[in-house]
């Protein structure tokens, strides 16, 4: 008997280009990859990510910030999700969700954590800080999510150079491009359990770490 597909929920507050990269990656892999996006959730009613989901026939749900306690866990449970993927979701994940999906919530951040992360460090603020500090490299980090912004164990990272003359916009574009290459294969590896959180809080599965080649 064919096993049921692994079900992913994507949580996004913004345009959803990382959601699109995941949709494209899963489309390339085809149904035999055994992974599907079961639900997209946003805290913003007008988020581009919700429109993108609907245009691909993926259930899309607005859960307002004020209703997130309880409602988010209920929606994820009803959708029977195995893995929760944050892609530009700007809210902390409530404890009831972290407790019900231990080691099954991941995020991507547009810097090399633990540098340039934490509360208030999102979007252009990250790249402004990188430029202001004079960093010569930056990149993207995929990590497990805990109750603090950008602090969970690191699963995968990819670097990009910071060029002389870079602006926030040129740097943001370079980092976003590497995010689109790093996140989808990492999500697939975590969904399949090839990369997972050990009981000691360390990430298991480095040998099967996805390659960017
Ligand atoms: C990305 O830079 C991601 O690293 C951060 O939020 C941004 C989301 O962009 N967490 P998009 O909505 O996927 O285009």
């Amino acid at each position: 008997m064919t096993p049921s597909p692994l079900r992913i929920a994507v949580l996004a507050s913004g345009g959803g280009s990382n959601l699109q990269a995941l949709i494209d990656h899963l489309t390339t892999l085809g149904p035999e990859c055994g992974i599907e996006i079961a639900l997209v959730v946003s805290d913003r009613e007008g988020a581009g990510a919700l429109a993108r989901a609907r245009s691909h026939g993926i259930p899309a749900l607005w859960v307002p910030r004020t209703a997130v306690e309880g409602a988010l866990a209920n929606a994820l449970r009803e959708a029977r999700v195995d893995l929760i993927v944050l892609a530009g979701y700007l809210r902390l994940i409530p404890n009831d969700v972290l407790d019900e999906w231990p080691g099954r919530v991941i995020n991507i951040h547009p810097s090399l954590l633990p540098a340039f992360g934490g509360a208030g460090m999102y979007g252009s603020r990250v790249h402004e800080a990188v430029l202001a500090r004079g960093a010569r490299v930056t990149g993207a980090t995929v990590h497990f999510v805990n109750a603090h912004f950008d602090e969970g164990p690191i699963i995968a990272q990819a670097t990009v150079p910071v060029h002389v003359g870079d602006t926030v916009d040129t740097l943001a574009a370079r980092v976003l491009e590497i995010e689109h290459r790093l996140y989808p294969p990492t999500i697939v590896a975590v969904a399949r359990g090839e990369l997972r959180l050990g009981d000691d809080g360390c990430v298991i599965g480095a040998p099967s770490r996805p390659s960017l080649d």
Side-chain angles (χ1 to χ4, degrees), residues 77-137:
R77 198 179 304 118
E78 270 173 32
R80 293 175 286 111
V81 307
D82 302 294
L83 178 67
I84 298 157
V85 166
L86 313 189
Y89 186 69
L90 296 178
R91 310 277 160 210
L92 276 179
I93 298 302
N95 283 330
D96 57 348
V97 172
L98 295 176
D99 290 346
E100 193 166 335
W101 284 270
R104 303 302 285 165
V105 186
I106 67 173
N107 181 45
I108 189 161
H109 182 79
S111 76
L112 296 174
L113 291 175
F116 307 111
M121 269 297 194
Y122 59 88
S124 58
R125 293 181 191 186
V126 176
H127 309 298
E128 272 166 20
V130 167
L131 291 172
R133 194 61 186 267
R136 303 309 200 259
V137 288

Side-chain angles (χ1 to χ4, degrees), residues 10-94:
V10 178
L11 275 53
S13 300
S17 71
N18 278 287
L19 167 65
Q20 188 64 54
L22 178 61
I23 292 170
D24 294 345
H25 188 67
L26 294 179
T27 302
T28 302
L29 294 179
E32 57 275 18
C33 85
I35 298 172
E36 64 184 27
I37 304 174
L39 180 65
V40 173
V41 176
S42 184
D43 58 322
R44 294 193 176 153
E45 192 175 13
L50 291 180
R52 264 185 220 269
R54 290 190 192 104
S55 74
H56 288 274
I58 300 167
L61 183 67
W62 170 45
V63 178
R65 183 168 51 92
T66 47
V68 81
E69 292 285 339
L72 182 59
N74 288 342
L76 296 167
R77 198 179 304 118
E78 270 173 32
R80 293 175 286 111
V81 307
D82 302 294
L83 178 67
I84 298 157
V85 166
L86 313 189
Y89 186 69
L90 296 178
R91 310 277 160 210
L92 276 179
I93 298 302

Side-chain angles (χ1 to χ4, degrees), residues 18 107-113 138-143 154 156-160 174-180 182-183:
N18 278 287
N107 181 45
I108 189 161
H109 182 79
S111 76
L112 296 174
L113 291 175
T138 184
T141 302
V142 182
H143 63 95
I154 290 170
Q157 290 184 308
T159 59
V160 295
R174 194 174 307 123
V175 172
L176 195 59
E177 191 196 335
I178 202 81
E179 289 184 44
H180 295 162
L182 177 69
Y183 209 13

